[in-house]
Amino acid sequence: MATEEAHCQQIWLMTEHSFRFTHAITRRPPRSAVHGLRAEDVGNPDVNRMTEHHDAYVEALGHAGVEVVVLDALEEFPDSLFVEDTALCLREGAVVLRPGAPTRFRESLAMEPHLRDLYSDVRVLSGPGFIEGGDILTSDSEILVGKSARTNSEGIHELRDAVAGWGYALREVTTPPGVLHFKSDCSLLDGTTILSTPRLSSSGCFEDYTVIDVAEGEEPAANSIRVNDVVFMPRGFPVTTGRVRDAGFDVVELDNSECQKIDGGLSCLSLRFSPS
Ligand code: CIR
């Protein structure tokens, strides 16, 4: 890499580390995804369509400049395509989490060796708390963790201990009642801008950020992801997509209808990171 290019990459890794990524890990959807956990039954996902959407997602990550590891499907774990819940990946190292859903607990153990391939420092939470990656939002200045039905105070405390020494402030916040994960309702658009549902932003947890609210009736659009220069948003939420574009972001819309049937958003489908 040319010296100047390397220098620029170094600078953005230092200042925009919450949305500048060199690597991602994804896992292919299993046929068993029809048994995926869900709060409300709106019909089973079509796994063939889900796989097509997943292929497009991986391709979009590649176009955004990310090197993508695509892991084989794990049939014994219907929700294992939602790799985000298994780990927290920071520049300094990765933390293997403890999913609060009993059927998902062992997914994080299956992720551990793949993290060790890419990181020299991998820390494994030993419990007894629970914490899922969908409840963790990392900005340039802090790690926010939403307490939820899947993430408890003990889990948050254990994560705080695990990342102590890496220089992050960690703040415990609350996921709205009835919402699966904190990030079901919000996403980071840049180091200081958050896309959020009004029910979450009205709690005041983003008072140090610029907030763009999702439109009423378009709540699933809150789970979007900033990847390098673009924002991936789920297709079908035109008012919110328009708001994000009007704010100056370059939006890539992706189909996510099948994952949505089992409460999965775009963020859940990858671990994104730049190991230092
Ligand atoms: C679950 O209930 O665990 C899955 N069906 C959906 C997980 C979505 N993950 C995420 O929001 N990070």
Side-chain angles (χ1 to χ4, degrees), residues 62-73:
H63 283 148
V66 175
E67 188 177 319
V68 191
V69 174
V70 183
L71 302 175
D72 290 340

Side-chain angles (χ1 to χ4, degrees), residues 36-37 79 82 84-85 104 134 150 180-181 184 262-264 268:
L37 297 172
D79 287 299
F82 303 123
E84 177 180 65
D85 294 318
R104 304 201 57 195
R150 302 284 184 87
L180 174 60
H181 286 129
S184 306
I262 50 172
D263 301 341
C268 327

Side-chain angles (χ1 to χ4, degrees), residues 203-221:
S203 73
C205 64
F206 299 131
E207 61 184 15
D208 294 332
Y209 295 84
T210 301
V211 174
I212 299 176
D213 275 337
V214 303
E216 200 182 330
E218 294 194 353
E219 285 73 18

